[in-house]
């Protein structure tokens, strides 16, 4: 059963949210990446999780059906973590399992560090550590955080040269090309499925415009080195072997800096959620939430 809501998270700011699954089941909050609607979580994955959880996904500010407010009321990335808590508050959820991808993984780390009492478990996908602790390789050598592998330069080039004022079809073409790179080289790219999902997101949003708010928002004050090293929240880190945004060993580093974190590998996965990764990903998340 689908239940849609609008949740007031700040003066003049409302976020669209959707619930699936038994309302009495343990809540599981999905936090998507930057500039991404909650519909970026594929229905197939949401439904698999909803067989055991009250699954909540939502649109960040300046995405989907939520308030687009950055141009008149700029905010910081840390405010987006507060939004996640406000969604839980608005839906009457005291504690939740939280799954975050990309920027959503960073927001989940902020929740881990600042509001551990609100999390049953955390799962982090396609993200980097909010920590200055260096990475210790299996051979004992140490790599400073700033020397971990960078984003694929082809993706950086796309971000730096994004055309403006594209017509709707050209906008879809750009998004598909972008997802082709994010998909990585480990799994065949399903252009038709990606284009259809983006059409759904455009219909959900009501227009094909894209905000750059999350890239321009204040990113300061996000390091949580000591708090992550001391957390008691059970945490799962997903290692995507073909990840182009935070390539290996970013996931391995993330699992090192969070106290007690476990690491699970999804072979062939990149910085996207194509159908072949959904079953192993759902199994890993459910196995993790089932231990709490």
């Amino acid at each position: 059963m689908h239940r849609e809501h609008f949740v007031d998270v700040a003066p003049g700011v409302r976020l669209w949210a959707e619930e699936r699954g038994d309302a009495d089941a343990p809540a599981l909050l999905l936090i998507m990446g930057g500039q991404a609607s909650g519909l970026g979580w594929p229905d197939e994955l949401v439904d698999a999780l909803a067989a055991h959880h009250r699954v909540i996904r939502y649109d960040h500010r300046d995405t989907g059906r939520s308030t687009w407010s950055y141009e008149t009321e700029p905010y910081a990335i840390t405010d987006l973590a507060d939004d996640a808590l406000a969604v839980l508050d608005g839906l009457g959820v005291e504690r939740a399992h939280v799954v975050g991808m990309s920027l959503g993984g960073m927001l989940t780390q902020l929740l881990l560090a600042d509001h551990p009492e609100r999390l049953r478990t955390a799962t982090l996908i396609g993200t980097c550590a909010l920590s200055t602790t260096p990475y210790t390789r299996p051979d004992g050598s140490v790599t400073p955080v700033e020397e971990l592998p960078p984003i694929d330069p082809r993706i950086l080039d796309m971000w730096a040269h994004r055309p403006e004022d594209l017509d709707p079809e050209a906008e879809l073409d750009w998004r598909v090309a972008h997802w082709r790179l994010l998909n990585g080289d480990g799994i065949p790219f399903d252009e038709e499925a990606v284009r259809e999902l983006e059409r759904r997101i455009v219909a959900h949003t009501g227009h094909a415009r894209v905000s750059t708010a999350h890239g321009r928002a204040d990113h300061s004050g996000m390091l949580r080195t000591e708090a992550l090293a001391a957390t008691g929240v059970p945490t799962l880190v997903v290692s995507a072997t073909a990840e182009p945004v935070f390539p290996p060993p970013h996931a391995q580093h993330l699992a090192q800096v969070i106290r007690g974190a476990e690491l699970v590998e999804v072979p062939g996965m990149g910085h996207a959620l194509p159908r072949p990764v959904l079953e192993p990903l759902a199994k890993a998340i459910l196995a993790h939430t089932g231990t709490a």
Side-chain angles (χ1 to χ4, degrees):
M1 181 178 178
H2 303 183
R3 301 174 294 279
E4 294 190 49
H5 311 272
F6 282 95
V7 180
D8 293 317
V9 300
V13 179
R14 308 184 81 193
L15 303 187
W16 173 88
E18 178 204 68
E19 297 180 71
R20 296 192 186 192
D22 186 343
D24 294 324
L28 186 152
L29 179 69
L30 297 171
I31 308 180
M32 192 25 86
Q35 307 305 153
S37 161
L39 264 62
W41 294 103
D43 288 348
E44 184 177 333
L45 176 63
V46 175
D47 289 339
L49 299 175
H52 301 272
H53 292 285
R54 174 190 177 188
V55 178
I56 302 163
R57 60 178 174 176
Y58 68 99
D59 291 339
H60 294 294
R61 304 186 195 196
D62 290 278
T63 74
R65 294 184 187 172
S66 293
T67 302
W68 290 48
S69 59
Y70 187 81
E71 301 306 329
T72 55
E73 295 288 340
Y75 48 82
I77 292 298
T78 51
D79 292 326
L80 298 181
D82 293 338
D83 285 353
L85 287 183
V87 168
L88 295 180
D89 290 341
L91 298 181
V93 177
E94 182 177 350
R95 297 180 69 210
H97 302 280
V98 179
V99 179
M101 181 166 183
S102 195
L103 175 64
M106 299 177 197
L107 302 180
T108 302
Q109 290 177 70
L110 293 177
L111 298 182
L112 264 175
D114 300 344
H115 303 279
E117 74 284 354
R118 301 298 301 274
L119 277 68
R120 294 181 182 272
T121 67
T123 299
L124 306 173
I125 306 166
T127 194
C128 64
L130 302 184
S131 170
T132 58
T133 303
Y135 170 57
T136 302
R137 296 180 178 274
D139 64 5
S141 61
V142 174
T143 300
V145 172
E146 59 270 17
E147 294 180 14
L148 288 169
I151 299 171
D152 185 321
R154 296 174 297 171
I155 295 173
L156 289 175
D157 185 65
M158 281 201 78
W159 292 348
H161 299 97
R162 196 188 201 292
E164 296 183 3
D165 300 321
L166 294 173
D167 66 54
E169 282 304 312
E171 171 63 28
L172 282 174
D173 289 342
W174 190 94
R175 295 187 191 188
V176 170
H178 184 224
W179 280 116
R180 188 183 299 276
L181 290 181
L182 293 179
N183 185 79
D185 301 322
I187 291 173
F189 181 66
D190 189 341
E191 178 176 337
E192 182 178 345
V194 169
R195 189 175 294 273
E196 176 57 30
L197 176 58
E198 287 299 332
R199 287 190 190 279
R200 285 184 56 216
I201 290 172
V202 168
H204 168 77
T205 305
H207 58 78
R209 299 191 307 275
V210 175
S211 170
T212 58
H214 298 170
R216 291 181 288 139
D218 182 0
H219 284 64
S220 65
M222 292 179 63
L223 285 176
R224 295 293 188 275
T225 302
E226 292 80 10
L228 294 175
T231 186
V233 177
T235 302
L236 178 69
V237 176
V238 175
S239 171
T241 60
E243 167 68 60
V245 177
F246 299 111
H250 273 279
Q252 289 74 11
H253 173 239
L254 185 55
Q256 285 184 3
V257 305
I258 298 175
R259 177 175 175 261
E262 296 186 6
L263 188 72
V264 63
E265 183 177 285
V266 179
M269 184 175 176
H271 197 77
L273 297 171
R275 177 165 289 173
V277 310
L278 301 184
E279 183 177 353
L281 189 59
K283 285 183 177 179
I285 293 171
L286 291 172
H288 179 57
T289 61
T291 64

